[in-house]
Amino acid sequence: MAAATNQDVIGSVVEAIDTDSIGDAPLYQVESLCMRCQQNGMTRFLLTSIPNFRKILLSAFECTHCGERNNEVQFAGEIQSRGCNYCLKIQAGDRKVLNRQVVKSESATIKIPELEFEIPPEAQRGSLSTVEGILVRASDELQALQEERKKVDPHTAEAIDSFLLKLKACASGDSPFTFVLDDPAGNSYIENPFAPSVDPSLAIKFYERTPEQQALLGYLANPSQPEEDGGQAPAEGTDNGVARVIREPHGSVGARAGRRAIAQGAGTEISDALFRYSAPEEVMTFPSTCGTCAVSCETRMFVTKIPYFQEVIVMASTCDACGYRNSELKAGGCIPAKGKKVIVSVKNIKDLSRDVIKSDTASVIIPEVELELASGTLGGLVTTVEGLITKISESLERVHGFSFGDSLDDNRKTKWQDFGTKLMKLTSVEEPWTLILDDALANSFVAPVTDNISEDHQLTFEEYERSWEQNEELGLNDMDTSSADAAYNDPPMERID
């Protein structure tokens, strides 16, 4: 009877996670086994929302027999399409920064470069704390076995004592340091008290996961590897399997890129939006693998030319097994020598229908509502001005805090509500406003409303020299293409079958 009750409770927790409204989510209690004394304790579940973040499931266990207690944070959602990296600069004496809320998922790593200190994913798994709380907990865990270390290895114990003094100085705010939170799953978070405005002390970057990180998260580690029940890969060598070499087709490079879920829209939507400029002369199809269920699927790619812009490459793939869809838009040709700002003065409803191409390196700025989205936010999009505002609103509602958490005070709640109202008023164009796309790679574009782009006085373009930091972030400072140039200049090798 007790087992059936526990199943009902767990089922209720799952149903609560699936719903969008969590304001009245109750506290669930499940009787569970204590791993220390083997007696029954109590586990409590609470679904809540963290302001400016997303929904999470808190679980806390307590045993009345032996006093064992532990807690854990689990995410009531999916692994994000890209990893995230938070870099928080903390100055000496600034204790307010130490009180910022931090969510560390089970796949996240915390680093303090000044101390050469790292908290691996295995430590403090699924924790909800503050910057100070994480450092204090790390200090306590290092201090716990110091007495035993002094007996076994006095030299190591002395070095740890010296390190603990530096770590405690950082935790108390006496020393400046950098707090880096890196999560391949994209489910970790550092609070931004200035949201939706930019935090001068906090830098956020989004990145594509490496094959090793994909494997650690449970994705298919080697997409080119054939399936066990079929899928024959081309091989050469002897038939006995001693010297077999699996060759990866050249086209699979494009197929791998097509699997990245950067754009938020469906592949057909991007295709339809671009077909109004010019239909593709050829749509190429590559074998691919679904990044969600690892079932074989197809990736389609075509190249098209957008007037007044440049040549672009569109990739889209769909999975018939699980229904997952993703698409990606990439600029063709060489990397531009300068960055570009696209500035649109939105004055009437007609301006909301302008086509917009936002690359994954572009930031979005709307000065009238003090909104600035960092590069990488929302990924690559092919939409309209109105569609871009709608995407921003939906993203902020899902990730950045219109779903208010339990700890959000009334002042900040009112601030978010007012900001949401201002954002949606942009689509009614009650007053003129300005849309700025700042793209360091000049791969973003807004279509004119006139036949000749020079006659559209509401649309302006500004080119600028990229800074060293921007080139470093884009990987251009250390880029060396001499080997590739030499390879392309060499005559092609004849194939011997």
Side-chain angles (χ1 to χ4, degrees), residues 2-53:
T5 303
N6 288 348
Q7 291 178 357
D8 295 339
V9 171
I10 295 175
S12 301
V13 174
V14 175
E15 292 174 359
I17 293 175
D18 290 337
T19 60
D20 294 330
S21 178
I22 62 173
D24 300 326
L27 177 67
Y28 299 94
Q29 299 187 37
V30 178
E31 188 175 347
S32 51
L33 180 68
C34 176
M35 303 308 295
R36 172 179 288 185
C37 66
Q38 305 301 312
Q39 298 292 326
N40 281 343
M42 187 66 65
T43 300
R44 295 174 175 84
F45 296 96
L46 176 64
L47 182 69
T48 185
S49 176
I50 297 178
N52 313 322
F53 190 46

Side-chain angles (χ1 to χ4, degrees), residues 84-101:
C84 63
N85 181 284
Y86 290 80
C87 183
L88 180 64
K89 298 285 187 180
I90 301 175
Q91 303 297 327
D94 191 357
R95 292 196 57 85
K96 288 185 178 179
V97 182
L98 296 174
N99 292 328
R100 293 199 183 192
Q101 201 171 50

Side-chain angles (χ1 to χ4, degrees), residues 180-210:
V180 180
L181 176 62
D182 185 90
D183 185 7
N187 281 329
S188 294
Y189 159 79
I190 296 179
E191 178 186 9
N192 175 13
F194 304 99
S197 300
V198 176
D199 186 350
S201 302
L202 182 64
I204 307 174
K205 295 181 181 179
F206 301 93
Y207 59 88
E208 300 294 336
R209 288 185 285 265
T210 64

Side-chain angles (χ1 to χ4, degrees), residues 12 30 40 163 215 221 340 377 408:
S12 301
V30 178
N40 281 343
F163 173 79
K340 180 183 290 186
T377 308
L408 191 64

Side-chain angles (χ1 to χ4, degrees), residues 251 254-255 257-258 266-286 298-306 310-317 326-333 357 382:
T268 55
E269 295 174 354
I270 289 185
S271 301
D272 294 342
L274 290 177
F275 281 166
R276 72 181 64 183
Y277 298 109
S278 61
E281 297 180 358
E282 180 183 8
V283 177
M284 292 168 282
T285 303
F286 303 98
E298 290 185 344
T299 295
R300 295 168 298 282
M301 183 189 81
F302 70 87
V303 179
T304 186
K305 179 71 172 65
I306 298 178
Q310 61 187 25
E311 187 178 76
V312 296
I313 303 172
V314 180
M315 296 182 182
S317 62
N326 67 65
S327 55
E328 181 178 5
L329 178 71
K330 287 295 183 182
I357 297 178
V382 176

Side-chain angles (χ1 to χ4, degrees), residues 62 76 127 143 196 239 337 421 473:
E62 182 177 3
S127 62
Q143 186 71 44
D239 293 335
T421 303
E473 182 177 351

